[in-house]
Amino acid sequence: MSKNTVSDRFRKVDVDEYDENKFVDEEDGGENQLGPDEAEVDSLIRSGNLMGALQAVLKNPPINTKNQNVKERAEGLVLKVLSSFKTSDIEKAVQSLDKTGVDLLMKYIYRGFEKPSDNSSAILLQWHEKALSAGGVGSIVRVLTARKTV
Amino acid sequence: MSYHSFLLEPISCHAWNKDRTQIALCPNNHEVHIYKKDGNNWNKIHVLKEHNGQVTGIDWAPESNRIVTCGTDRNAYVWTLKGDVWKPTLVILRINRAARCVKWSPKENKFAVGSGSRLISVCYFEQDNDWWVCKHIKKPIRSTILCLDWHPNNVLLAAGSCDFKCRIFSAYIKEVEEKPAPTPWGSKMPFGEVMFESTGTAGWVHGVCFSDSGNRVAWASHDSTVAVAEGGKTAVCTSLTSETLPLLCVTFITENSLVAAGHDCYPVLFVYDSNKAALSFGGKLDIPKQSAQKGMSARERFQNLDKKATTDTKEAVLESVHKNSISQISILNGGKAQCAKFCTTGMDGGMTIWDVKTLESAMKDLKIV
C-alpha cells in the first residue's frame, strides 16, 4: 500500500528480449538477393509484353534479405507491373502462374495493401480476387504464416 | 457415416477402448467422461475427476485397458479399472508448462507426453519403486510439442512442434526393452537421438502420423501443407500445398493413403505415390446434403445486393457434417494398414464415424490405394 505506483514504465518493458530461451529464426544467407531485375522488367513493360513482365518481376524475390530498401524496391516494381495490366487480362495472367507463383503474388499483394497509394488498393483488390480463385484460402494462410516474406 | 452430437462445447480430445464400445472424451473442462454405446444411444457411465486444468490428451491402451490423461495442470494420470471404478495414479512429469498430448507406445509399457516446456517426457513404470518415472527429450526442441505418434517398433517417436519442424526421436528406454533392430530411419538409436528432422515447413505442425510399417511419416502444418517423408539413407520428403484452411490432424488409412481434417470441417483424402515421390489430393470425404434450391424473389435479390453486395443465392451455411473445426481423428477398425472405419471429433462437440467402403462407393473417382 505504501509502494509508489505512480510510474508505469515497467509495463513497456519487452520481457521477451530477456528470455534466454527465446526463439531466434535461423539465419539464411540473404545477402545476395537483389530482387527482380529493374531494367529487364521496365523494358518488358515498355514493349507491351505484360505477361513476360509479370514472370520477370516474380523472379528473385527478396525473401531472405534483411535490407528493407531491396524489399521496397521490389514491391514498387511489382505494383508498377500489376497496374499496367488491363482488367480483362488479369485472369489470364494469374492462370499462367504455377502454385509457388500464385503464393508469391499473394505475398506481394498483401505487402501492397500495407502502404496504400492513390489507386493501388483498387487494382490490388482485383488481382486479389483472381489470385484467390487460383490459390484458394490456402495461399492467404501461407502469406500469414510465412516467417520470411517479401 | 453417423454423426452424434455429444455436447455443445468442443471435444478437446477423445480415445476409444479396445472393442470400440466405450469412448473417453474431455468436454472442454477438467474432467474426462466415458460414454458407453447402448444400441443407438450413448450413456455416460464414468466421470474421471482429478485434473485441475483442462484435459488436453487422452489415450486408451487397448491390451492393458489403462487410460492415460494429461492436462494443462502440468500433470498426467494413469487410470486403471478396479472393479467398476477408475483409479488414478499420478505421474510426475517434471514440466513447468501445460502438457499438450499423450500417447501410449505400441507395447503399452511406456507413454510419451508432449508439453509447452519444449520437451517430451517419456514415462515408464519402475517395478522396484512401484512408480512411474520419466525421462526428458530436450534437444533440439525449441517450442511446444503439439502432437506425437509412436513407430511400431516401440522405440521411435515422431513429434510435431511449434518450431515448424517434425522430428523423429529415439525413445529407447533400456530398463524396459532390448535394443531395437535397425530401421530405415537409422540403426543407432540411443535415447533422445534425432533420427529425422524436417525442413521447409513454415507453420506449426499440428498433426503427425507414422504409417503402419513405420517407414513413412506424414505431418500437417499450419501453412496449409501436408508432407510425407520416407525413411532411407537420405529421407525423401514430399509436401503438398493445399488450397484449404490448415489441417489439424492426419492419419494413414493404408500404406499409401492419408486422411486429414482441420479447420475446413470436412476430412480430405491424400494419396502418396512413392515411385514418383509425389503427394496428391484425393478428394473431399464429405457427402453434402442436397439442399433444395428455392428461387429468389426480386425483393430478396435486392436485399442481398444491399446487405452483402452480391446476388449470390448460396446461403452461408456449412454443408459438411461437422459444423466446426475437426480437431482429432482416430482409426476404429482395420488399423493403419487397411482402415475400414475412422472417427472424427471437433469443436462442435460432435463425433462422426466414417465408413471407408461407403465413402468409396459414394464418391466417384475416389480411389484408396
Side-chain angles (χ1 to χ4, degrees), chain B residues 204-249:
Chain B
W204 308 317
V205 180
H206 286 294
V208 75
C209 184
F210 266 114
S211 70
D212 187 59
S213 61
N215 295 336
R216 299 189 184 147
V217 69
W219 64 94
S221 97
H222 200 75
D223 60 350
S224 292
T225 59
V226 178
V228 174
E230 188 144 12
K233 276 228 176 51
T234 41
V236 178
C237 239
T238 23
S239 76
L240 176 70
T241 51
S242 79
E243 294 176 357
T244 55
L245 294 178
L247 298 159
L248 291 177
C249 47

Side-chain angles (χ1 to χ4, degrees), chain B residues 96-288:
Chain B
N96 53 10
R97 294 286 186 278
R100 274 302 250 109
C101 49
V102 65
K103 273 271 163 78
W104 281 108
S105 70
K107 293 210 182 82
E108 295 165 24
N109 50 4
K110 326 182 264 199
F111 61 87
V113 181
S115 68
S117 321
R118 294 182 269 242
L119 50 84
I120 305 175
S121 296
V122 182
C123 308
Y124 60 98
F125 195 67
E126 208 168 66
Q127 280 293 88
D128 311 333
N129 296 334
D130 197 22
W131 185 238
W132 287 91
V133 172
C134 79
K135 278 197 171 167
H136 285 168
I137 300 179
K138 268 194 153 173
K139 294 196 194 311
I141 305 172
R142 296 171 64 209
S143 191
T144 308
I145 297 284
L146 287 177
C147 50
L148 293 168
D149 194 32
W150 286 91
H151 187 283
N153 73 356
N154 211 53
V155 170
L156 295 179
L157 182 63
S161 158
C162 279
D163 60 2
F164 322 123
K165 298 224 183 292
C166 166
R167 298 185 179 91
I168 299 184
F169 290 100
S170 158
Y172 167 64
I173 307 266
K174 62 181 193 297
E175 283 89 345
V176 295
E177 57 199 348
E178 283 124 37
K179 265 206 156 97
T183 68
W185 300 104
S187 26
K188 280 211 176 298
M189 292 179 251
F191 181 81
E193 178 87 358
V194 180
M195 314 300 288
F196 166 75
E197 189 176 79
S198 74
T199 48
T201 313
W204 308 317
V205 180
H206 286 294
V208 75
C209 184
F210 266 114
S211 70
D212 187 59
S213 61
N215 295 336
R216 299 189 184 147
V217 69
W219 64 94
S221 97
H222 200 75
D223 60 350
S224 292
T225 59
V226 178
V228 174
E230 188 144 12
K233 276 228 176 51
T234 41
V236 178
C237 239
T238 23
S239 76
L240 176 70
T241 51
S242 79
E243 294 176 357
T244 55
L245 294 178
L247 298 159
L248 291 177
C249 47
V250 67
T251 183
F252 275 92
I253 52 170
T254 65
E255 193 71 16
N256 294 319
S257 307
L258 302 148
V259 169
H263 289 293
D264 267 318
C265 318
Y266 53 77
V268 256
L269 177 75
F270 291 100
V271 182
Y272 178 67
D273 185 342
S274 54
N275 299 329
K276 286 188 266 172
L279 191 57
S280 57
F281 179 66
K284 234 172 90 155
L285 293 179
D286 205 321
I287 307 170

Side-chain angles (χ1 to χ4, degrees), chain A residues 8 18 47 68 109:
Chain A
D8 63 352
Y18 299 104
S47 66
Q68 287 305 321
I109 292 177

